[in-house]
Amino acid sequence: MTSYSKAVQPLFASMALMLTMFLKIACAVAADPSADAVKPSWPATGVNTRVTISLFEACGSHSEFPAALPAESFRFTTPMLALHRLPLKYVSGGVREVWNGPVLMQAFVKTVLPEGGVDLLIRSPGRARLWIDGQIVATTPARRLFPDAHQPFEVYQPDMPWLRVPHVGDHEVRVRFESTGQPVEVVLESLVGSASSRCELGETLVAFRQADRMFTLIQPIETLQAVRPPSVRPPSVSNHDGPQRAVHLVDSEFEGYRAELESYLQSIDRQSLIDESARENAFWDRRHEIARNYLAGQPDIVIPEKHSALSESNLIDRLVNDPLKSVDAASIDHATNDLEFLRRLSLDTVGMPPSPTEIDDYLADVELGTHRELAIVRFVSDERWADHWVSYWQDVLAENPNILKPKLNNTGPFRGWLYDSLVLNKPMDRFATELIRMEGSAFAGAAGGFSWATENDVPMAEKAHIIAGAFQSVNMKCARCHDAPYHPWTQKDLFSLAAMLENQTITVPDTSSVPRAFFDRKEGDSPIAITLQPGDIVPPVWPSERLDCQMFGPHEVDASLLGRDPTSRETLAAIITRAENNRFAATLVNRLWTRLMGWGLMPDTDDWYESESRNSILLDYLSRELIGSGYDLKHVAGMIMKSSAYQRAAIDEKQVERALTFAAPWRRRLSAEQVVDSLHHVTGMAMDTEPITFDPEASQKIENFLNLGQASRAWQLTSLSNERDRPSLSLPKAATLVECMEAFGWRQSRQSPITHREYEANVVQPGVVANGTLTGTVTRLTDASAITSLALASQSVESFIEQLFLRVLTRQPSASERAAFLAHLSEGFEDRELTASPTEKVPPVSRGFATWSNHFAVEANALMRDIELEVAAGPEPTQRLSSDWRERAEDAVWAIVNSPEFQFVP
Amino acid sequence: MDRRKFIASSTAVGLLAGLQNPAQTQEQIKAVVDIPAPGKAEHVIFIWLGGGMSQIDTFDPKRRGSSLERKPGSDYAAIDTVVPEVQVCQHLSRLARRMDRITALRTIHHEMIDEHAAAVYWVHVGRPVNGTIQYPALGAAIAHERGALDENAPAYAVIGYPNMSRSPGFLGAKYGYLYLTDLHSGPRGLTRPNYVTQERQLRRLAMLDSVRKATLAATPSSPLLRAYDDALAENQRLAGPDFMRVFDLEREAASLRQTYGGEFGQRCLLARRLTEHGVRFVEVSHNLNFVNGTGWDTHKEGQQNQWTLIEELDQAVAALIDDLEARQRLDKTLIVIGTEFGRPPEFDGAGGRGHQSKAFSLVLAGGGLKHCGALGTTDELSKSIVERPISIPDFHATIHHSLGIDYRTELYDGDRPVPITDNGMPIVELFS
């Protein structure tokens, strides 16, 4: 507390502001007698140990409390009377929806306030009222919904140093309360969001203080400790019942609380997802039974005898090696060493290198001899698999959200559904069906977001083209505006699929055709033909035999395959995902194989027309494995990873005899997401971005602004949408990540689906790693950096260098590397640790927020310019290491992450 | 037909790809045969006025209105220029004296008014958003066609924020841009953070060198790895003093720097230096919205101090024209003033202006064109086009033609040919 009490005197400087607030409240209380208000009904249990929170949706006005409550929508608990977001809303099938605003949130808790006069502080972005023992003691005004971006730039002035600044857009109200020191029943009611804006909470909270002490969050009576020593140490709030340390309204403590609450909310979200998804599991189990029955009726694959000299671990190898029996394979039959394999496995499953603990666990198993298999099981079942695969499907399905007024052929952010599906490892037939159904709210991240294509004249034509490529390897891109010149299908075929997705007829617009002028200008015959004219009406029925020829199969669908009403859209989903359509399973295993091996079983991943497989038996075998496992892609991934083919040393295409290039993985560059995620992971630095939104106060129309939240993995980023070119609309931290990812082939905007990104090296790539702000940030040895801990824990400089190489490159340094690094790190190593007490920190300066509603203000521009400079300067270095040696160590980390080796999968 | 064979054997096949320019008339198409010889410009300095420059307050003045009284019309007086019968607004007094080297294209039009980003995209890539293709920005297309003039320089540079409209689209990262968001921070990817001293840099490179050698020794035959290693070496060379010197404006005479004016003017000066060192296309953003509160997006109160932006533009572009002329580079350097749309003659409730895309002005200067002060006629309040409409594709085709790039050429999105403009035709009047 010492650091607080020192700063008490100046707080009265802003007393004038405080007084106005008190007066406002006094009036509000008088004008809002508790007698007329609907009193919240106190829950029977739980309020002594947790704060119980009830949600009621669609409460009408965002400025007036409802006269009668609708049925309760959701109930959960928090440790303290403070929270920063609502749990996600899932409906049957695990479909994401937005909460129907305004939501009335009621938070109930029984607590004890210290005896005597207490100041209560209430923060809420919307209208709120605080009840104590059945009396309303304070209210806050309604949420501000701004019509434009011309609001003044305001700066909150805390009346005491260290007091956390409210979240942008939150109201703050304070009242004086006379406490008897006896237990009280506290209820905070708050109207969250509105019918037209996002249901966001800012940082809704209630705190109290006595005299000149720091505000403390209200907490349940049974978690109170007898003595509450005020503290600036980070709190250790547990999610369990029992005594907890008080949380003061200062950044370090509140952020610690918030992080723990966030992980608790994530566990609530996960449970809702699992529960709601499970409602459709029985249907999919039946579908998989039907699929297995279909498989049982197919003739067996003839497995060849072992002919090849190449090593063999499973049937995949038999099928890979068989066509190679006549080639001299000795030149490539080299297995990766154990650590190379682990690095490859880790990058291919969780998207980043193995951690030191994962390396230790793996090496400990070496003597068992099954260490590779055990590692495959661990890594394939790791949840971070979802993080690694979301970005793949974002590309293939052209997920293209835009956080600001989406008008650029944008989809909704259906990344939420992608993540949910991958984290549950949904069967792939279910995955494709859910995408095609396009259910749920685009604003909530649901598959419904796939249905958007803003400013596109026929969104469903776009979707049909994406679906055909993603799940059927049929390229219908050209048929968007005319008959496909190199494929047998016509524009009408694509529009028929589009109409099926639309569940109704589509009239061809002028803009979906090639203008007459084009043909007039052409000399000679044009290879393109127009057989569908603008104005033609296309019905929602299966198009033609032109699409039947080698894919999709017959177009009558048995009712047992439909999980919804028999609309044409549902029928199309079943046509694609049923087992008889062998192209579906083959497409998916080929995608997986291509991603893991670098080469495809089909030469062109997205377009199989008139192509032959490089190994049709293997393709067939893997397809059947996918179907037989209930469309479990991880099952097939595990099989591939166990093969000798996958475990061979990588080769560069064309470096060996052509045929042999198909017996080992091709050398692969890391994806942009892998680069960025790995940079954070190896240094132990958390990704630190602003919330990805221009409307953090949720004061704008929901259709104009998304809030994608703070990113913790690279796939969560998106276009920063500063077409307006305004500093006040920059997101400087996120921009450092985007800058790096773009250089490595990630797209800010995914106008069209792609499977293979450009992987050619260019000069920007090493430049952005060498000089970019991101590298400077993650290689800085801060108190949070894992390299700082390593530096402090290392017994010798040699051991530090070894551990550093292991952490970043998953290998030991060579003799020459060791010598080069020793030459720069030995000096000063012994004296690197500083024991001096940390320097006294100064309270943060409150300086306002740049947000959409005020972004035209001069101050908003100036603020963001300042922040850009601060971000470029990098985070605060640790004080525990001498600055000279620390810089040397930072240079060492910089050198390793800049090496070409870091950019490649081994 | 076998697609792969077809592509191998065919040339100049023009396929689809968002040919959505129905405004093209038969007369214009017939004019193909009469297009004069292409120009000989070497560089483009593309000035971007984000937000939507009000044509009626700048290059297409009309009868006087008043923002204070909400009376439709120009907010400023019109003044004569050196070109007879061509007037501009009073805050463009310097450019007025140079309009013989300038042409305001007053009848530009497209159909996106309610969202900036979509209009910014349209003007930059020459087409509306299309679901199947991400088109390259003008700068990237030109970088692709003409490359840099010096192997030590990038072809395409941006002084402003990176965004999708400036991106190389399907042409790929190779045709992307070098960029800096402001003059202080230097070009991204080439500028070392200022905390990295020369001593640290040498230490870093020494350690990096050991890892590079070890990697190449372990995998000597990998062309992929080697390509990245080569790119690393190339980057170190670009980041060296030879090219980085270009960014040092202190090397210019103080008096010259003064004539260019503030931050925006200095950006124009840097653009001139970049083109001199071989950069083909430089986009210069005028994103200084704190001057009047809204930048060129002059809704509401933004209108009140719009004139300060206009004067800043006037000073910088006039200085650029003079400077290029003095160096005998004006004919080689096409100056373009671009913006996403214009603004209507009427005022909103707070005396500002909304958006208008059916008639607005873009401006060309220098570049060896046959300038005439202004081209195209709008009605008495600059609300609609009366004569000589100029489409965005025509605007692009004109820029390509001035650089000697065939405006009918095709770029390739993989194996799919995409015409470089959406049926655009050069503005014949500008070529002799």
Side-chain angles (χ1 to χ4, degrees):
Chain A
M1 191 56 199
T2 45
S3 59
Y4 294 155
S5 45
K6 248 189 265 171
V8 162
Q9 277 70 31
L11 82 89
F12 292 98
S14 57
M15 213 47 208
L17 176 78
M18 296 301 309
L19 280 174
T20 353
M21 280 184 177
F22 281 106
L23 286 173
K24 232 192 302 188
I25 293 320
C27 298
V29 173
D32 189 2
S34 311
D36 290 352
V38 183
K39 210 165 159 181
S41 56
W42 188 252
T45 56
V47 287
N48 292 354
T49 52
R50 301 275 291 179
V51 180
T52 297
I53 297 182
S54 290
L55 304 179
F56 303 88
E57 289 181 86
C59 285
S61 160
H62 72 283
S63 54
E64 295 301 329
F65 287 96
L69 284 188
E72 187 181 36
S73 296
F74 199 77
R75 183 179 291 205
F76 64 106
T77 66
T78 60
M80 310 248 165
L81 189 37
L83 80 166
H84 60 281
R85 71 167 172 94
L86 297 180
L88 299 180
K89 178 179 171 185
Y90 287 97
V91 300
S92 184
V95 176
R96 287 182 181 225
E97 286 292 354
V98 287
W99 295 108
N100 201 345
V103 171
L104 175 65
M105 179 178 90
Q106 294 181 333
F108 302 90
V109 62
K110 187 166 222 175
T111 192
V112 176
L113 295 168
E115 191 175 350
V118 184
D119 292 336
L120 291 172
L121 173 151
I122 301 98
R123 288 182 181 170
S124 164
R127 186 150 178 78
R129 58 189 180 193
L130 182 69
W131 301 74
I132 296 184
D133 283 341
Q135 295 296 310
I136 294 174
V137 299
T139 62
T140 65
R143 176 179 291 267
R144 289 177 289 187
L145 298 173
F146 297 121
D148 58 39
H150 299 261
Q151 300 301 316
F153 184 88
E154 291 168 345
V155 181
Y156 175 89
Q157 294 301 341
D159 61 341
M160 55 201 301
W162 300 100
L163 176 64
R164 181 170 177 80
V165 170
H167 187 269
V168 54
D170 284 0
H171 301 293
E172 176 180 301
V173 156
R174 300 183 187 186
V175 285
R176 190 82 174 167
F177 181 76
E178 284 302 323
S179 169
T180 60
Q182 293 304 305
V184 285
E185 293 181 351
V186 177
V187 185
L188 178 73
E189 290 189 292
S190 175
L191 285 167
V192 185
S194 74
S196 64
S197 64
R198 299 189 309 276
C199 292
E200 291 181 2
L201 289 172
E203 283 173 354
T204 296
L205 59 88
V206 181
F208 70 93
R209 75 171 169 194
Q210 244 190 330
D212 52 8
R213 296 183 167 201
M214 178 48 71
F215 281 101
T216 307
L217 296 183
I218 299 263
Q219 70 188 89
I221 187 164
E222 287 181 19
T223 67
L224 292 168
Q225 286 171 315
V227 185
R228 271 201 294 225
S231 162
V232 286
R233 279 174 298 162
S236 61
V237 180
S238 94
N239 290 326
H240 308 294
D241 302 342
Q244 293 177 335
R245 188 173 294 122
V247 176
H248 297 100
L249 203 46
V250 299
D251 289 347
S252 60
E253 295 191 32
F254 190 85
E255 280 160 16
Y257 168 77
R258 185 181 157 137
E260 294 215 13
L261 179 60
E262 175 57 32
S263 67
Y264 177 68
L265 289 170
Q266 286 176 12
S267 69
I268 294 179
D269 296 341
R270 179 62 53 80
Q271 199 55 49
S272 306
L273 169 65
I274 291 170
D275 293 346
E276 293 298 334
S277 297
R279 293 175 196 272
E280 298 198 345
N281 289 356
F283 169 76
W284 290 104
D285 290 346
R286 275 200 305 282
R287 283 275 306 252
H288 297 150
E289 201 50 47
I290 295 170
R292 272 189 286 268
N293 288 340
Y294 166 79
L295 266 194
Q298 299 298 302
D300 286 342
I301 294 180
V302 181
I303 303 293
E305 293 294 309
K306 185 176 191 304
H307 292 295
S308 169
L310 278 161
S311 53
E312 181 179 307
S313 298
N314 59 16
L315 270 184
I316 290 178
D317 290 317
R318 178 77 57 84
L319 298 174
V320 167
N321 297 346
D322 190 59
L324 308 176
K325 49 195 170 232
S326 59
V327 264
D328 176 15
S331 65
I332 63 139
D333 201 2
H334 306 300
T336 47
N337 73 36
D338 277 337
L339 283 176
E340 282 168 353
F341 171 74
L342 183 69
R343 188 174 176 86
R344 179 185 295 171
L345 174 67
S346 183
L347 284 164
D348 275 341
T349 48
V350 303
M352 32 200 204
S355 69
T357 319
E358 285 162 347
I359 295 172
D360 287 348
D361 290 349
Y362 172 74
L363 292 178
D365 288 342
V366 167
E367 60 187 45
L368 297 175
T370 52
H371 53 296
R372 292 194 181 201
E373 273 134 81
L374 290 170
I376 291 169
V377 171
R378 279 198 301 272
F379 276 92
V380 168
S381 58
D382 194 303
E383 271 195 6
R384 293 172 295 168
W385 167 279
D387 293 301
H388 179 52
W389 277 88
V390 169
S391 52
Y392 179 84
W393 290 110
Q394 284 174 319
D395 266 3
V396 171
L397 302 175
E399 191 239 17
N400 189 28
N402 187 336
I403 56 173
L404 200 174
K405 301 187 181 177
K407 290 276 174 77
L408 291 168
N409 195 40
N410 295 115
T411 66
F414 59 88
R415 51 187 60 195
W417 165 80
L418 282 173
Y419 182 78
D420 291 348
S421 303
L422 292 162
V423 90
L424 294 187
N425 192 32
K426 278 183 196 158
M428 293 308 291
D429 51 349
R430 181 173 182 173
F431 177 84
T433 301
E434 288 184 356
L435 180 80
I436 294 168
R437 283 180 183 157
M438 301 181 246
E439 292 173 336
S441 168
F443 301 112
F450 179 63
S451 68
W452 290 8
T454 57
E455 296 293 315
N456 191 304
D457 56 358
V458 190
M460 287 304 137
E462 174 80 2
K463 304 306 156 183
H465 145 60
I466 293 170
I467 290 166
F471 300 121
Q472 205 66 22
S473 305
V474 171
N475 181 347
M476 303 190 81
K477 189 171 182 173
C478 302
R480 183 71 179 81
C481 297
H482 51 72
D483 296 345
Y486 316 115
H487 298 94
W489 38 89
T490 62
Q491 187 179 6
K492 187 171 176 210
D493 294 332
L494 180 70
F495 272 69
S496 300
L497 296 178
M500 287 185 82
L501 289 172
E502 197 75 81
N503 286 325
Q504 60 183 12
T505 56
I506 288 180
T507 305
V508 180
D510 287 346
T511 42
S512 280
S513 198
V514 181
R516 181 87 218 132
F518 171 78
F519 296 100
D520 291 344
R521 254 173 70 177
K522 271 286 159 210
E523 293 146 24
D525 289 341
S526 167
I528 62 173
I530 303 282
T531 54
L532 191 65
Q533 301 299 329
D536 284 358
I537 293 170
V538 183
V541 292
W542 181 256
S544 74
E545 284 111 38
R546 284 185 295 276
L547 282 179
D548 288 351
C549 56
Q550 53 181 334
M551 62 221 75
F552 291 118
H555 25 97
E556 281 80 40
V557 173
D558 191 87
S560 65
L561 297 182
L562 303 183
R564 296 275 189 279
D565 292 340
T567 59
S568 59
R569 185 187 288 187
E570 182 71 11
T571 303
L572 181 61
I575 287 175
I576 291 173
T577 58
R578 66 187 157 174
E580 286 90 334
N581 173 21
N582 52 23
R583 182 64 82 83
F584 175 68
T587 293
L588 291 169
V589 293
N590 184 57
R591 286 190 174 282
L592 175 65
W593 181 275
T594 309
R595 197 166 193 220
L596 295 178
M597 300 295 286
W599 57 277
L601 293 165
M602 294 295 292
D604 183 340
T605 320
D606 306 285
D607 184 2
W608 292 8
Y609 179 65
E610 290 192 339
S611 301
E612 273 179 36
S613 174
R614 287 166 176 149
N615 194 327
S616 55
I617 304 184
L618 179 55
L619 185 61
D620 195 17
Y621 170 69
L622 293 174
S623 305
R624 289 174 189 227
E625 281 293 328
L626 182 70
I627 299 171
S629 65
Y631 290 90
D632 179 356
L633 207 60
K634 283 193 177 184
H635 164 76
V636 183
M639 288 176 57
I640 295 171
M641 288 165 173
K642 282 178 201 152
S643 70
S644 298
Y646 176 80
Q647 297 193 15
R648 284 194 186 105
I651 51 173
D652 283 64
E653 195 200 351
K654 294 174 191 153
Q655 288 309 288
V656 291
E657 198 183 325
R658 176 77 181 159
L660 284 175
T661 61
F662 300 128
W666 290 2
R667 196 174 309 285
R668 290 168 290 154
R669 284 272 304 279
L670 298 192
S671 69
E673 290 88 337
Q674 284 174 320
V675 172
V676 165
D677 285 336
S678 299
L679 282 170
H680 288 91
H681 187 60
V682 299
T683 54
M685 294 287 279
M687 203 174 268
D688 176 29
T689 69
E690 307 84 358
I692 312 290
T693 184
F694 292 125
D695 178 33
E697 56 195 332
S699 72
Q700 302 286 324
K701 288 205 164 65
I702 190 167
E703 63 267 28
N704 284 343
F705 291 86
L706 293 175
N707 184 351
L708 299 179
Q710 282 178 292
S712 58
R713 289 289 298 252
W715 63 265
Q716 294 165 331
L717 289 155
T718 192
S719 164
L720 300 184
S721 301
N722 198 354
E723 266 73 13
R724 285 165 176 75
D725 239 333
R726 296 172 187 157
S728 55
L729 291 182
S730 63
L731 297 170
K733 290 178 176 177
T736 66
L737 305 175
V738 163
E739 172 182 61
C740 181
M741 295 194 0
E742 276 212 297
F744 287 98
W746 174 86
R747 296 179 297 168
Q748 284 213 41
S749 164
R750 304 185 194 93
Q751 292 289 320
S752 53
I754 56 168
T755 297
H756 299 287
R757 291 185 186 162
E758 193 183 344
Y759 278 99
E760 270 177 66
N762 66 51
V763 294
V764 184
Q765 293 161 350
V768 81
V769 183
N771 302 315
T773 303
L774 175 60
T775 315
T777 301
V778 297
T779 59
R780 178 72 48 84
L781 264 58
T782 66
D783 284 334
S785 166
I787 312 291
T788 305
S789 313
L790 178 65
L792 289 167
S794 295
Q795 298 297 317
S796 66
V797 65
E798 288 84 359
S799 140
F800 173 73
I801 293 167
E802 276 175 21
Q803 291 299 316
L804 186 62
F805 270 79
L806 201 56
R807 194 170 236 293
V808 184
L809 294 177
T810 326
R811 68 169 171 86
Q812 295 291 334
S814 70
S816 58
E817 287 166 329
R818 207 179 291 261
F821 279 66
L822 272 175
H824 294 288
L825 294 174
S826 297
E827 191 186 323
F829 176 80
E830 291 306 327
D831 309 319
R832 71 198 180 286
E833 189 167 357
L834 300 181
T835 46
S837 60
T839 48
E840 186 100 337
K841 291 196 172 167
V842 286
V845 178
S846 171
R847 52 186 185 173
F849 296 88
T851 168
W852 179 261
S853 68
N854 71 12
H855 85 268
F856 279 129
V858 176
E859 301 94 324
N861 259 330
L863 173 66
M864 294 320 287
R865 288 258 189 230
D866 288 349
I867 292 177
E868 280 178 19
L869 292 176
E870 290 162 18
V871 170
E876 195 70 17
T878 182
Q879 301 296 316
R880 301 174 67 193
L881 291 167
S882 77
S883 59
D884 177 66
W885 192 83
R886 172 180 55 76
E887 287 183 357
R888 290 164 183 273
E890 287 169 359
D891 293 342
V893 183
W894 180 92
I896 305 180
V897 299
N898 271 278
S899 69
E901 182 176 344
F902 186 75
Q903 297 294 337
F904 287 83
V905 181
Chain B
M1 184 183 303
D2 181 304
R3 173 173 55 130
R4 290 171 180 90
K5 269 188 219 146
F6 179 87
I7 288 164
S9 66
S10 88
T11 52
V13 188
L15 299 197
L16 65 72
L19 290 166
Q20 288 164 350
N21 182 15
Q24 212 54 262
T25 64
Q26 289 302 309
E27 284 69 23
Q28 283 172 297
I29 289 155
K30 284 207 196 89
V32 176
V33 286
D34 305 324
I35 298 286
K40 294 193 172 96
E42 295 284 349
H43 309 273
V44 178
I45 294 177
F46 186 86
I47 291 166
W48 184 256
L49 309 182
M53 176 186 77
S54 175
Q55 78 289 352
I56 194 170
D57 293 330
T58 52
F59 291 95
D60 193 15
K62 298 291 177 181
R63 71 165 184 252
R64 189 75 191 261
S66 164
S67 54
L68 293 176
E69 296 161 32
R70 317 286 188 261
K71 183 180 155 204
S74 290
D75 214 6
Y76 315 117
I79 54 171
D80 289 334
T81 71
V82 291
V83 180
E85 291 177 39
V86 172
Q87 288 194 312
V88 293
C89 284
Q90 67 187 96
H91 298 294
L92 292 173
S93 59
R94 297 178 186 86
L95 290 182
R97 296 193 294 275
R98 294 164 179 83
M99 284 307 279
D100 52 342
R101 284 148 281 175
I102 298 174
T103 306
L105 310 172
R106 288 171 166 169
T107 46
I108 299 281
H109 58 93
H110 63 64
E111 278 131 52
M112 170 53 72
I113 57 160
D114 50 351
E115 173 43 29
H116 290 273
V120 171
Y121 182 82
W122 198 325
V123 176
H124 273 82
V125 311
R127 293 165 156 99
V129 173
N130 165 300
T132 62
I133 297 186
Q134 187 173 339
Y135 298 103
L138 180 64
I142 288 170
H144 178 267
E145 291 299 303
R146 300 281 320 260
L149 275 89
D150 184 314
E151 58 173 20
N152 290 318
Y156 176 23
V158 170
I159 308 174
Y161 285 91
N163 63 41
M164 165 190 156
S165 297
R166 289 170 174 152
S167 87
F170 64 74
L171 293 176
K174 196 171 165 194
Y175 301 100
Y177 46 82
L178 178 77
Y179 79 99
L180 50 160
T181 54
D182 58 60
L183 293 174
H184 314 292
S185 47
R188 300 292 172 105
L190 295 180
T191 315
R192 234 158 50 202
N194 53 20
Y195 54 81
V196 181
T197 57
Q198 186 60 20
E199 184 198 355
R200 288 190 73 178
Q201 182 69 4
L202 292 174
R203 195 156 67 203
R204 288 171 165 215
L205 294 179
M207 287 189 274
L208 171 58
D209 202 43
S210 75
V211 187
R212 282 169 75 181
K213 281 191 179 129
T215 310
L216 289 177
T219 37
S221 65
S222 170
L224 270 179
L225 216 88
R226 198 167 284 277
Y228 189 85
D229 198 74
D230 290 347
L232 183 68
E234 173 69 10
N235 181 272
Q236 285 174 3
R237 202 167 56 77
L238 268 184
D242 284 353
F243 182 65
M244 294 304 280
R245 204 170 287 139
V246 180
F247 295 88
D248 183 7
L249 296 182
E250 298 291 333
R251 291 168 175 269
E252 297 285 342
S255 56
L256 179 72
R257 293 193 64 181
Q258 246 167 24
T259 62
Y260 273 91
E263 163 86 13
F264 172 65
Q266 301 306 305
R267 290 180 180 197
C268 291
L269 174 57
L270 175 58
R272 192 216 82 209
R273 289 176 62 85
L274 285 165
T275 56
E276 276 173 345
H277 283 80
V279 180
R280 182 71 70 179
F281 187 104
V282 187
E283 176 163 350
V284 183
S285 159
H286 183 267
N287 62 348
L288 311 164
N289 53 323
F290 46 84
V291 176
N292 66 330
T294 63
W296 295 94
D297 193 15
T298 52
H299 297 280
K300 305 198 174 181
E301 292 77 14
Q303 181 75 19
Q304 287 167 23
N305 286 319
Q306 177 188 242
W307 62 274
T308 57
L309 289 181
I310 300 171
E311 293 204 338
E312 195 171 48
L313 176 74
D314 185 52
Q315 178 179 6
V317 178
L320 181 60
I321 289 173
D322 292 354
D323 193 11
L324 286 169
E325 208 157 36
R327 291 159 179 268
Q328 290 169 347
R329 296 185 61 85
L330 184 62
D331 283 350
K332 286 188 213 163
T333 310
L334 179 66
I335 301 169
V336 182
I337 301 176
T339 192
E340 62 262 46
F341 36 53
R343 311 198 85 87
E346 299 87 4
F347 295 93
D348 61 29
R353 295 191 195 270
H355 303 160
Q356 174 176 304
S357 67
K358 62 191 174 184
F360 66 102
S361 300
L362 299 177
V363 180
L364 301 175
L369 297 179
K370 202 172 76 184
H371 288 290
C372 55
L375 204 60
T377 312
T378 56
D379 65 14
E380 73 283 0
L381 278 174
S382 187
K383 259 181 99 68
S384 59
I385 294 169
V386 172
E387 197 184 17
R388 185 61 174 105
I390 300 169
S391 69
I392 294 291
D394 292 346
F395 169 69
H396 276 235
T398 303
I399 295 171
H400 289 310
H401 200 58
S402 72
L403 288 159
I405 296 169
D406 181 357
Y407 62 93
R408 292 188 299 176
T409 195
E410 276 152 353
L411 305 173
Y412 281 81
D413 176 10
D415 54 11
R416 179 186 197 188
V418 179
I420 193 168
T421 78
D422 185 7
N423 261 340
M425 307 287 294
I427 300 165
V428 292
E429 296 92 318
L430 293 174
F431 297 89
S432 43

